[in-house]
Amino acid sequence: MLAAPINPSDINRIEGVYPVRPQVPAVGGYEGVGEVHSVGAAVKGFLPGDLVIPSPPSFGTWQTYIVKDQNVWYKINKKSPLEYAATITVNPLTALRMLEDFVTLNKGDAIVQNGATSIVGQCIIQLAHHRGIHNINIIRDRTGSDEVKEKLKNLGADEVFTESQLEVKNVKGLLSGIPEPALGFNCVGGNAASLVLKFLGRGGTMVTYGGMSKKPITVSTSSFIFKDLSLRGFWLQNWMSTEKAKGCRVLIDSLLDLAREGKLKYEMELVPFDNFNAAIDKALGKQGSQPKQVINFQL
């Protein structure tokens, strides 16, 4: 293995609160990138030196050597940036599938999301921007929020609001010509989810893929009756078990192409394996907001 990230779902599995748990004793980590060291005599299509990722992702990437059947591995372009190859499957693929699987979006349409600074959020901004889809983004109130807004706008965000800015009756009056969103994404829950719902137009859909606030989603009766809103959920691991997932390797190639071209980027910190404990603390939020922690086994 060359590199593997620390994702929130990895922490949840260790805590025992994730719906799918590996049989213990187990090695952590669900995605990453490795270099082929050696192959069995019957293996075809792989050679030492090939760059590979587990596809679909599988347990146990937080270790220096892995031996698994060739069907687990997918060979990727050797020019792929290490940190993007290690993280391309979980967050960017989630962003891409959510943009495509729930509502048919055309150029000029709009979406809205909370948790816009997350990696999924950053990917949604960029993928939507590339397709000419307006994106409205909600971030939590924080010190330095103006700088955060500027960073997101540099990625392609059309509008960025803090939660307190949206404490008005008519949020759509803030949109300056952007159409009512047909699709919204929620990874926070609580009030932040309610703000997404306020932006959605009649017949709109909100997709929930996380719950960082650990607070429930509350929906007004009028939202169902008069706006006919739909609430859906997305879980990548479940999607991987569907027929749609057969083409995920082609999608990963397209996402890695965007990363190599600089058209898909997000903040990460490559951390030497010897600093694993510090990386875990950062991933747990013990040092405030931090970039995605990616363990580099070669440093």
Side-chain angles (χ1 to χ4, degrees), residues 46 50 79 99 160 239:
F46 293 95
D50 285 343
K79 295 181 180 178
L99 280 168
V160 186
W239 180 84

Side-chain angles (χ1 to χ4, degrees), residues 19 34 133-134 144 172 174 177 227 246 255 268 276 281 286:
I133 297 167
H134 300 291
K172 291 167 188 173
L174 303 171
K227 292 180 70 176
K246 288 183 177 179
L255 290 167
M268 291 174 282
F276 184 87
D281 283 345
K286 293 182 178 180

Side-chain angles (χ1 to χ4, degrees), residues 3 12 14 30 62 82 84 106 110 117 120 131 168 170-171 174 188 206 219 229 241 255 258 262 274 283:
N12 292 158
I14 293 168
Y30 188 57
W62 291 354
L82 188 69
Y84 285 94
N106 299 308
T117 57
V120 173
R131 299 173 184 207
V168 295
N170 181 23
V171 297
L174 303 171
V188 181
M206 183 174 79
V219 189
L229 298 184
S241 66
L255 290 167
L258 289 174
D274 287 348

Side-chain angles (χ1 to χ4, degrees), residues 86-109:
T87 59
I88 203 69
T89 305
V90 172
N91 291 308
L93 189 57
T94 291
L96 179 60
R97 292 322 320 159
M98 292 197 303
L99 280 168
E100 296 189 349
D101 286 359
F102 295 93
V103 173
T104 300
L105 296 169
N106 299 308
K107 186 175 181 179
D109 288 341

Side-chain angles (χ1 to χ4, degrees), residues 245-262:
K246 288 183 177 179
C248 75
R249 292 181 172 183
V250 174
L251 299 177
I252 286 169
D253 282 339
S254 67
L255 290 167
L256 283 173
D257 286 343
L258 289 174
R260 282 197 305 276
E261 294 165 7

